Amino acid sequence: MPDPSPHAESSAPRHPDWMESLYERLAEDDEGRVCKAISEDACRASPGNFFRTLVANTLSSLADRIASAKTTLPWLLLQLGAPGWMLSLLVPIRESGSMLPQMLIGAGVRRQPVRKWVWVWGGALQGLCLLGMGWAALALEGAAAGWLVIALLVLFSLARGACSVAYKDVQGKTIPKTRRGRLSGWISAVSGLAALGVGLALGALQGEGSTALFAGLLVGGAVLWFAAAAVFGRIVESPGATEGGANGVVEAFARLTLLRDDRPFRAFVIARALAMGSGLAAPFYVALAREELGDALSLLGVFIAVEGLAGLLSSPLWGRWADRSSRRVFAAACALAGALTVAVALWSWLPMPAWAASWFYPLAFFGLGLAHAGVRLGRKTYMVDMAEGNRRTDYVAVSNSVIGALLLVSGVIGGVAATVSVEATLVLLGGAGLLGAWLSLGWKNVSG
C-alpha cells in the first residue's frame, strides 16, 4: 500500500483564494480558523482537505444512490429474470457485509500511518464491482446473472467496510471537530441534488427499463467511484500512531469488551441498533408502493428523486445541528423515522383510494429519507466526537461489526415476518425506532 514520506504528507500547501473562500462559506469559518482536536499541520491544510473530502464523498454518495441495493439492483434482477428470493439478500448483504468484518479491518487500518490509501483502494475496488455488475446485465440472465451480482455485492460491501473505518479516522485527523457535521451535511446535500436530477430523468421515461439502461447506471456509478478515489488520494494526511496495529483475530474480538466496560459506548450501540429500522424499512415502503402503483421504470425514478431531494433539503440543517448536539439530531431523526414507519403500516391496513397512494408513498419515502439522513449524520458525528486517536478506530470497528451482525439477523427475521404481514413488520421497526430515540436522549454530550 502506498506510503508517501512523512515530510510530503505533513507539509500543508498554500491554498488558492477560491478554495479558502469556499471553505469559509461551507464550513462557516470566516472569523478565524477553528482547529479543535487536530494537529497544527492539519489545521493549515484543513481548507483543502475539507474541499477534497467534500468532492470525493459527494461522488461516492451519488454512486451509491444510482446503484442502490434498495432500488436499482432489485429492479435489475427482476429485469434479468433472476429468482425472486434473491431480492431479499441484497440489502442485508449490502449493509451487514460492509460492517461485519470491521473489527478485523480496523486492526489492519491501524497499522497504516497514512490511512487515506485504504479508502482509495477500497473505492477503486467498489468501482470494479459495479463494472462487473454492468457486464452481468448485458451478458447474463436468470440465476447466473443473479448469483454474479450477489457475489460482486459481497466484494463491494467488504471494500466499503474498509472505506468506512478509514474515512472516519482520516476525518478525525484532518477536519476540525466543530466542522465535521457541516462537512457531512454538505456531502449529502450536493449528492442529493445530483441524485434528484438522475431520478427526475428516469421518472420521465415510460415503460420498463432495458438492461442497457441499467448497465449504463452501473457503469456511471463505477466511473464516479474511480473519480472519488483519485480525489481522496490528494488529501493531506500526516502519519498517525500505529500502536496496536498487529492485533490479529484474538485482539479484534477482545475489543468486544468495550461493550461491557464502556457504559457510554454501550448505550450508543443499543440505541443505534434500535434505530436500524430507518434503513430496513425502506424496501417495505417500496414493496407496498409497487403493489398498489405497479413496477414501471418511472416509479424507480420517483423513489431515487425523492431520496435525493430528502438529502438535499435535510442534510445542511442536520449538519449544523449535529455540530451543536449530535445526540439530539439522532434522537429527533430516529423518532421521525419510527413515527413515519408506523404511519405507513396503518395507511396500508386502511382502505385508501389509489389516487391517494400515488402521493402518500413518495411523501412517506421522502420523510424516511430525511429521517435516515439525520440518523446517519447524528450517529456518525457522535461516533467521531466520542473518542480520539486509536480508540476512535476501536469504537467504529466494534459498533459496526455488532450492528452488521444484528442487521443480518434482523434481515432474516424481517424477511420471514414479511411473508406473514409486511404491515406488522413495519410496526415492529417503527416501535424500535421510537424506543431508540428515547434512549439516545440519555447519551453523554460530546459535541462542541
Side-chain angles (χ1 to χ4, degrees):
M1 188 169 295
D3 183 10
S5 68
H7 298 291
E9 290 293 340
S10 61
S11 58
R14 290 180 57 86
H15 303 107
D17 291 341
W18 68 266
M19 187 176 291
E20 290 279 357
S21 177
L22 180 64
Y23 177 72
E24 290 175 358
R25 289 175 180 274
L26 297 183
E28 300 179 14
D29 192 20
D30 55 353
E31 297 181 358
R33 187 65 44 81
V34 177
C35 289
K36 296 185 66 176
I38 63 173
S39 68
E40 184 178 347
D41 284 342
C43 180
R44 290 194 296 268
S46 58
N49 284 338
F50 187 98
F51 178 71
R52 295 181 188 103
T53 304
L54 171 62
V55 173
N57 282 274
T58 295
L59 294 172
S60 65
S61 295
L62 177 58
D64 282 344
R65 292 185 181 186
I66 66 176
S68 172
K70 298 177 182 178
T71 53
T72 305
L73 294 185
W75 251 273
L76 172 63
L77 292 189
L78 290 173
Q79 179 72 25
L80 297 176
W85 58 265
M86 287 186 173
L87 303 183
S88 64
L89 300 178
L90 296 175
V91 172
I93 288 175
R94 166 64 181 78
E95 299 296 333
S96 64
S98 66
M99 293 181 179
L100 281 172
Q102 286 196 22
M103 285 188 293
L104 302 179
I105 292 173
V109 170
R110 291 174 63 180
R111 291 196 292 269
Q112 308 300 321
V114 177
R115 296 165 187 175
K116 68 180 182 180
W117 300 113
V118 176
W119 199 99
V120 170
W121 289 111
L125 181 56
Q126 288 176 84
L128 290 174
C129 289
L130 292 183
L131 283 181
M133 293 179 192
W135 178 84
L138 295 175
L140 301 175
E141 59 183 19
W147 279 119
L148 181 56
V149 169
I150 288 173
L152 289 169
L153 186 61
V154 170
L155 185 58
F156 180 97
S157 298
L158 293 174
R160 187 169 185 81
C163 288
S164 179
V165 174
Y167 173 69
K168 292 181 178 67
D169 208 52
V170 172
Q171 185 189 49
K173 291 168 62 180
T174 61
I175 304 299
K177 187 174 184 178
T178 56
R179 296 297 179 262
R180 295 165 189 165
R182 288 172 175 81
L183 172 60
S184 297
W186 282 113
I187 288 169
S188 295
V190 178
S191 62
L193 179 61
L196 174 62
V198 173
L200 291 176
L202 289 175
L205 300 178
Q206 300 295 322
E208 299 179 356
S210 65
T211 54
L213 176 60
F214 284 109
L217 287 174
L218 294 169
V219 171
V223 171
L224 290 171
W225 267 114
F226 294 144
V231 174
F232 202 88
R234 298 187 61 197
I235 288 175
V236 178
E237 178 193 355
S238 298
T242 59
E243 290 80 4
N247 284 319
V249 176
V250 174
E251 288 298 322
F253 281 97
R255 291 201 295 276
L256 286 171
T257 58
L258 285 170
L259 293 171
R260 181 193 64 200
D261 301 332
D262 193 327
R263 184 176 179 181
F265 177 64
R266 182 172 66 249
F268 169 81
V269 173
I270 291 172
R272 181 183 172 187
L274 291 169
M276 291 188 301
S278 68
L280 292 176
F284 295 112
Y285 282 44
V286 174
L288 292 175
R290 289 183 64 189
E291 183 178 344
E292 293 193 38
L293 302 174
D295 58 357
L297 181 61
S298 59
L299 183 60
L300 170 62
V302 167
F303 280 116
I304 292 177
V306 162
E307 187 178 18
L309 180 62
L312 173 64
L313 297 181
S314 67
S315 294
L317 175 62
W318 291 129
R320 291 192 192 91
W321 193 6
D323 285 329
R324 297 195 302 271
S325 181
S326 53
R327 67 188 176 98
R328 292 190 180 276
V329 166
F330 180 92
C334 191
L336 176 60
L340 272 174
T341 299
V342 172
V344 168
L346 295 177
W347 175 280
S348 182
W349 265 323
L350 298 174
M352 294 294 179
W355 65 265
S358 64
W359 63 262
F360 174 77
Y361 285 111
L363 183 62
F365 199 76
F366 166 78
L368 185 67
L370 185 153
H372 188 56
V375 169
R376 287 173 57 87
L377 181 56
R379 56 99 170 162
K380 284 183 177 181
T381 305
Y382 190 90
M383 170 69 73
V384 173
D385 290 347
M386 186 165 47
E388 305 292 343
N390 282 334
R391 177 53 66 93
R392 181 185 298 115
T393 304
D394 291 345
Y395 277 3
V396 171
V398 173
S399 67
N400 282 354
S401 296
V402 170
I403 296 300
L406 292 176
L407 272 171
L408 199 57
V409 173
S410 299
V412 173
I413 295 175
V416 174
T419 62
V420 179
S421 173
V422 170
E423 292 85 356
T425 303
L426 288 175
V427 169
L428 290 175
L429 292 173
L434 293 173
L435 177 58
W438 179 70
L439 292 177
S440 67
L441 292 175
W443 287 356
K444 177 182 177 182
N445 185 19
V446 297
S447 301

Tab-separated table of all heavy atoms in Angstrom, residues 330-368:
chain	number	residue	atom	x	y	z
A	330	PHE	N	-29.693	12.734	16.371
A	330	PHE	CA	-30.011	11.310	16.281
A	330	PHE	C	-31.395	11.038	16.861
A	330	PHE	O	-32.211	10.315	16.247
A	330	PHE	CB	-28.955	10.492	17.029
A	330	PHE	CG	-29.188	9.019	17.009
A	330	PHE	CD1	-28.627	8.220	16.024
A	330	PHE	CD2	-29.978	8.411	17.971
A	330	PHE	CE1	-28.847	6.848	16.002
A	330	PHE	CE2	-30.207	7.047	17.958
A	330	PHE	CZ	-29.633	6.259	16.970
A	331	ALA	N	-31.688	11.591	18.029
A	331	ALA	CA	-32.969	11.328	18.687
A	331	ALA	C	-34.149	11.827	17.857
A	331	ALA	O	-35.144	11.109	17.665
A	331	ALA	CB	-32.980	11.977	20.076
A	332	ALA	N	-34.034	13.052	17.331
A	332	ALA	CA	-35.131	13.614	16.551
A	332	ALA	C	-35.357	12.837	15.258
A	332	ALA	O	-36.501	12.538	14.883
A	332	ALA	CB	-34.838	15.083	16.246
A	333	ALA	N	-34.273	12.513	14.559
A	333	ALA	CA	-34.396	11.791	13.296
A	333	ALA	C	-34.914	10.377	13.515
A	333	ALA	O	-35.724	9.865	12.729
A	333	ALA	CB	-33.042	11.753	12.587
A	334	CYS	N	-34.448	9.729	14.571
A	334	CYS	CA	-34.898	8.376	14.869
A	334	CYS	C	-36.390	8.356	15.200
A	334	CYS	O	-37.130	7.462	14.771
A	334	CYS	CB	-34.079	7.821	16.034
A	334	CYS	SG	-34.297	6.063	16.335
A	335	ALA	N	-36.845	9.349	15.964
A	335	ALA	CA	-38.270	9.444	16.287
A	335	ALA	C	-39.108	9.680	15.035
A	335	ALA	O	-40.187	9.102	14.873
A	335	ALA	CB	-38.492	10.566	17.297
A	336	LEU	N	-38.625	10.528	14.131
A	336	LEU	CA	-39.341	10.787	12.884
A	336	LEU	C	-39.469	9.521	12.049
A	336	LEU	O	-40.550	9.215	11.524
A	336	LEU	CB	-38.623	11.878	12.090
A	336	LEU	CG	-39.195	12.209	10.710
A	336	LEU	CD1	-40.634	12.683	10.819
A	336	LEU	CD2	-38.338	13.257	10.004
A	337	ALA	N	-38.371	8.763	11.923
A	337	ALA	CA	-38.408	7.519	11.153
A	337	ALA	C	-39.387	6.522	11.774
A	337	ALA	O	-40.165	5.866	11.065
A	337	ALA	CB	-37.009	6.912	11.076
A	338	GLY	N	-39.356	6.395	13.093
A	338	GLY	CA	-40.255	5.454	13.762
A	338	GLY	C	-41.707	5.820	13.578
A	338	GLY	O	-42.553	4.958	13.271
A	339	ALA	N	-42.031	7.098	13.746
A	339	ALA	CA	-43.413	7.535	13.599
A	339	ALA	C	-43.910	7.353	12.164
A	339	ALA	O	-45.051	6.906	11.934
A	339	ALA	CB	-43.535	8.993	14.029
A	340	LEU	N	-43.079	7.684	11.188
A	340	LEU	CA	-43.475	7.521	9.787
A	340	LEU	C	-43.715	6.056	9.442
A	340	LEU	O	-44.660	5.722	8.716
A	340	LEU	CB	-42.384	8.087	8.871
A	340	LEU	CG	-42.460	9.568	8.522
A	340	LEU	CD1	-41.226	9.977	7.748
A	340	LEU	CD2	-43.726	9.866	7.724
A	341	THR	N	-42.858	5.175	9.937
A	341	THR	CA	-42.978	3.756	9.610
A	341	THR	C	-44.263	3.170	10.172
A	341	THR	O	-44.957	2.382	9.505
A	341	THR	CB	-41.745	3.001	10.145
A	341	THR	OG1	-40.573	3.525	9.511
A	341	THR	CG2	-41.848	1.514	9.862
A	342	VAL	N	-44.616	3.543	11.387
A	342	VAL	CA	-45.893	3.107	11.952
A	342	VAL	C	-47.047	3.668	11.138
A	342	VAL	O	-48.039	2.975	10.861
A	342	VAL	CB	-45.992	3.535	13.433
A	342	VAL	CG1	-47.396	3.250	13.977
A	342	VAL	CG2	-44.949	2.806	14.276
A	343	ALA	N	-46.934	4.925	10.694
A	343	ALA	CA	-47.992	5.542	9.904
A	343	ALA	C	-48.194	4.835	8.568
A	343	ALA	O	-49.327	4.656	8.101
A	343	ALA	CB	-47.667	7.022	9.678
A	344	VAL	N	-47.094	4.428	7.920
A	344	VAL	CA	-47.201	3.709	6.651
A	344	VAL	C	-47.918	2.381	6.843
A	344	VAL	O	-48.754	1.972	6.016
A	344	VAL	CB	-45.808	3.503	6.030
A	344	VAL	CG1	-45.868	2.511	4.869
A	344	VAL	CG2	-45.239	4.822	5.546
A	345	ALA	N	-47.604	1.684	7.931
A	345	ALA	CA	-48.282	0.417	8.215
A	345	ALA	C	-49.782	0.633	8.401
A	345	ALA	O	-50.599	-0.109	7.842
A	345	ALA	CB	-47.678	-0.223	9.460
A	346	LEU	N	-50.145	1.654	9.156
A	346	LEU	CA	-51.564	1.933	9.382
A	346	LEU	C	-52.257	2.327	8.081
A	346	LEU	O	-53.405	1.918	7.825
A	346	LEU	CB	-51.700	3.054	10.418
A	346	LEU	CG	-51.206	2.722	11.827
A	346	LEU	CD1	-51.337	3.934	12.735
A	346	LEU	CD2	-51.979	1.532	12.404
A	347	TRP	N	-51.588	3.115	7.252
A	347	TRP	CA	-52.159	3.517	5.961
A	347	TRP	C	-52.458	2.288	5.104
A	347	TRP	O	-53.512	2.192	4.481
A	347	TRP	CB	-51.184	4.436	5.238
A	347	TRP	CG	-51.615	4.816	3.835
A	347	TRP	CD1	-51.499	4.063	2.700
A	347	TRP	CD2	-52.251	6.028	3.442
A	347	TRP	NE1	-52.001	4.730	1.618
A	347	TRP	CE2	-52.476	5.950	2.048
A	347	TRP	CE3	-52.629	7.188	4.118
A	347	TRP	CZ2	-53.079	6.983	1.332
A	347	TRP	CZ3	-53.229	8.214	3.386
A	347	TRP	CH2	-53.452	8.110	2.025
A	348	SER	N	-51.513	1.349	5.064
A	348	SER	CA	-51.689	0.163	4.229
A	348	SER	C	-52.832	-0.707	4.723
A	348	SER	O	-53.500	-1.378	3.934
A	348	SER	CB	-50.387	-0.643	4.204
A	348	SER	OG	-50.516	-1.779	3.374
A	349	TRP	N	-53.058	-0.712	6.027
A	349	TRP	CA	-54.152	-1.509	6.589
A	349	TRP	C	-55.524	-0.913	6.262
A	349	TRP	O	-56.511	-1.625	6.157
A	349	TRP	CB	-54.006	-1.602	8.105
A	349	TRP	CG	-53.291	-2.847	8.560
A	349	TRP	CD1	-53.386	-4.096	8.021
A	349	TRP	CD2	-52.374	-2.958	9.656
A	349	TRP	NE1	-52.585	-4.981	8.702
A	349	TRP	CE2	-51.947	-4.308	9.713
A	349	TRP	CE3	-51.859	-2.059	10.587
A	349	TRP	CZ2	-51.052	-4.770	10.670
A	349	TRP	CZ3	-50.974	-2.511	11.540
A	349	TRP	CH2	-50.574	-3.860	11.584
A	350	LEU	N	-55.571	0.406	6.100
A	350	LEU	CA	-56.840	1.080	5.869
A	350	LEU	C	-57.187	1.074	4.376
A	350	LEU	O	-56.297	1.123	3.526
A	350	LEU	CB	-56.774	2.531	6.370
A	350	LEU	CG	-56.525	2.697	7.877
A	350	LEU	CD1	-56.345	4.179	8.216
A	350	LEU	CD2	-57.666	2.098	8.687
A	351	PRO	N	-58.465	1.031	4.033
A	351	PRO	CA	-58.868	1.066	2.611
A	351	PRO	C	-58.768	2.483	2.052
A	351	PRO	O	-59.641	3.325	2.268
A	351	PRO	CB	-60.327	0.578	2.654
A	351	PRO	CG	-60.810	0.956	4.031
A	351	PRO	CD	-59.624	0.846	4.943
A	352	MET	N	-57.678	2.747	1.335
A	352	MET	CA	-57.440	4.075	0.789
A	352	MET	C	-57.560	4.048	-0.738
A	352	MET	O	-57.200	3.045	-1.368
A	352	MET	CB	-56.054	4.571	1.182
A	352	MET	CG	-55.904	4.808	2.677
A	352	MET	SD	-56.950	6.175	3.249
A	352	MET	CE	-56.565	6.161	5.011
A	353	PRO	N	-58.018	5.121	-1.373
A	353	PRO	CA	-58.131	5.167	-2.837
A	353	PRO	C	-56.761	5.166	-3.500
A	353	PRO	O	-55.770	5.636	-2.932
A	353	PRO	CB	-58.881	6.482	-3.100
A	353	PRO	CG	-58.626	7.313	-1.884
A	353	PRO	CD	-58.531	6.350	-0.736
A	354	ALA	N	-56.728	4.662	-4.735
A	354	ALA	CA	-55.451	4.531	-5.451
A	354	ALA	C	-54.803	5.884	-5.699
A	354	ALA	O	-53.578	6.013	-5.637
A	354	ALA	CB	-55.677	3.800	-6.773
A	355	TRP	N	-55.621	6.922	-5.990
A	355	TRP	CA	-55.027	8.230	-6.263
A	355	TRP	C	-54.277	8.764	-5.051
A	355	TRP	O	-53.268	9.466	-5.190
A	355	TRP	CB	-56.101	9.226	-6.707
A	355	TRP	CG	-57.128	9.552	-5.644
A	355	TRP	CD1	-58.337	8.966	-5.477
A	355	TRP	CD2	-57.007	10.542	-4.609
A	355	TRP	NE1	-58.998	9.513	-4.398
A	355	TRP	CE2	-58.209	10.485	-3.850
A	355	TRP	CE3	-56.030	11.453	-4.257
A	355	TRP	CZ2	-58.440	11.302	-2.752
A	355	TRP	CZ3	-56.246	12.276	-3.164
A	355	TRP	CH2	-57.439	12.204	-2.423
A	356	ALA	N	-54.754	8.433	-3.860
A	356	ALA	CA	-54.081	8.903	-2.650
A	356	ALA	C	-52.730	8.225	-2.472
A	356	ALA	O	-51.764	8.844	-2.009
A	356	ALA	CB	-54.966	8.674	-1.431
A	357	ALA	N	-52.646	6.931	-2.844
A	357	ALA	CA	-51.381	6.202	-2.708
A	357	ALA	C	-50.296	6.796	-3.584
A	357	ALA	O	-49.108	6.726	-3.246
A	357	ALA	CB	-51.590	4.727	-3.055
A	358	SER	N	-50.686	7.393	-4.724
A	358	SER	CA	-49.698	7.928	-5.656
A	358	SER	C	-48.917	9.107	-5.079
A	358	SER	O	-47.811	9.399	-5.541
A	358	SER	CB	-50.375	8.353	-6.968
A	358	SER	OG	-51.278	9.429	-6.729
A	359	TRP	N	-49.488	9.790	-4.085
A	359	TRP	CA	-48.735	10.862	-3.429
A	359	TRP	C	-48.279	10.467	-2.030
A	359	TRP	O	-47.261	10.966	-1.541
A	359	TRP	CB	-49.553	12.148	-3.365
A	359	TRP	CG	-50.823	12.074	-2.552
A	359	TRP	CD1	-52.084	11.877	-3.014
A	359	TRP	CD2	-50.936	12.197	-1.127
A	359	TRP	NE1	-52.995	11.842	-1.979
A	359	TRP	CE2	-52.309	12.054	-0.796
A	359	TRP	CE3	-50.028	12.410	-0.089
A	359	TRP	CZ2	-52.798	12.115	0.509
A	359	TRP	CZ3	-50.499	12.471	1.218
A	359	TRP	CH2	-51.862	12.324	1.512
A	360	PHE	N	-49.032	9.566	-1.370
A	360	PHE	CA	-48.677	9.229	0.018
A	360	PHE	C	-47.348	8.492	0.097
A	360	PHE	O	-46.490	8.840	0.919
A	360	PHE	CB	-49.777	8.382	0.653
A	360	PHE	CG	-49.401	7.881	2.026
A	360	PHE	CD1	-49.442	8.727	3.131
A	360	PHE	CD2	-48.968	6.574	2.207
A	360	PHE	CE1	-49.077	8.277	4.392
A	360	PHE	CE2	-48.602	6.112	3.459
A	360	PHE	CZ	-48.661	6.970	4.562
A	361	TYR	N	-47.151	7.462	-0.723
A	361	TYR	CA	-45.925	6.670	-0.611
A	361	TYR	C	-44.663	7.466	-0.963
A	361	TYR	O	-43.661	7.389	-0.243
A	361	TYR	CB	-46.039	5.397	-1.453
A	361	TYR	CG	-46.927	4.364	-0.812
A	361	TYR	CD1	-48.169	4.036	-1.358
A	361	TYR	CD2	-46.534	3.695	0.346
A	361	TYR	CE1	-48.997	3.095	-0.767
A	361	TYR	CE2	-47.349	2.757	0.945
A	361	TYR	CZ	-48.592	2.459	0.387
A	361	TYR	OH	-49.400	1.520	0.981
A	362	PRO	N	-44.665	8.251	-2.054
A	362	PRO	CA	-43.479	9.093	-2.282
A	362	PRO	C	-43.231	10.090	-1.153
A	362	PRO	O	-42.080	10.336	-0.773
A	362	PRO	CB	-43.804	9.806	-3.597
A	362	PRO	CG	-44.732	8.871	-4.300
A	362	PRO	CD	-45.576	8.273	-3.217
A	363	LEU	N	-44.318	10.659	-0.601
A	363	LEU	CA	-44.152	11.608	0.501
A	363	LEU	C	-43.584	10.914	1.732
A	363	LEU	O	-42.681	11.447	2.408
A	363	LEU	CB	-45.498	12.265	0.826
A	363	LEU	CG	-45.469	13.338	1.919
A	363	LEU	CD1	-44.579	14.497	1.500
A	363	LEU	CD2	-46.892	13.819	2.215
A	364	ALA	N	-44.087	9.712	2.033
A	364	ALA	CA	-43.569	8.971	3.179
A	364	ALA	C	-42.116	8.564	2.956
A	364	ALA	O	-41.300	8.603	3.882
A	364	ALA	CB	-44.441	7.731	3.426
A	365	PHE	N	-41.789	8.176	1.721
A	365	PHE	CA	-40.402	7.806	1.413
A	365	PHE	C	-39.480	9.013	1.543
A	365	PHE	O	-38.335	8.890	1.988
A	365	PHE	CB	-40.328	7.229	-0.006
A	365	PHE	CG	-39.094	6.409	-0.267
A	365	PHE	CD1	-38.983	5.139	0.243
A	365	PHE	CD2	-38.049	6.917	-1.028
A	365	PHE	CE1	-37.849	4.366	0.005
A	365	PHE	CE2	-36.915	6.168	-1.267
A	365	PHE	CZ	-36.810	4.883	-0.751
A	366	PHE	N	-39.988	10.188	1.165
A	366	PHE	CA	-39.222	11.419	1.362
A	366	PHE	C	-38.953	11.655	2.848
A	366	PHE	O	-37.830	11.973	3.252
A	366	PHE	CB	-39.982	12.604	0.771
A	366	PHE	CG	-39.445	13.941	1.199
A	366	PHE	CD1	-38.297	14.459	0.629
A	366	PHE	CD2	-40.092	14.680	2.192
A	366	PHE	CE1	-37.788	15.686	1.031
A	366	PHE	CE2	-39.599	15.905	2.590
A	366	PHE	CZ	-38.439	16.407	2.013
A	367	GLY	N	-39.978	11.504	3.664
A	367	GLY	CA	-39.802	11.687	5.102
A	367	GLY	C	-38.830	10.688	5.691
A	367	GLY	O	-38.006	11.032	6.550
A	368	LEU	N	-38.899	9.446	5.224
A	368	LEU	CA	-37.972	8.423	5.718
A	368	LEU	C	-36.546	8.752	5.291
A	368	LEU	O	-35.595	8.572	6.066
A	368	LEU	CB	-38.374	7.051	5.185
A	368	LEU	CG	-37.541	5.870	5.719
A	368	LEU	CD1	-37.791	5.674	7.205
A	368	LEU	CD2	-37.857	4.594	4.947
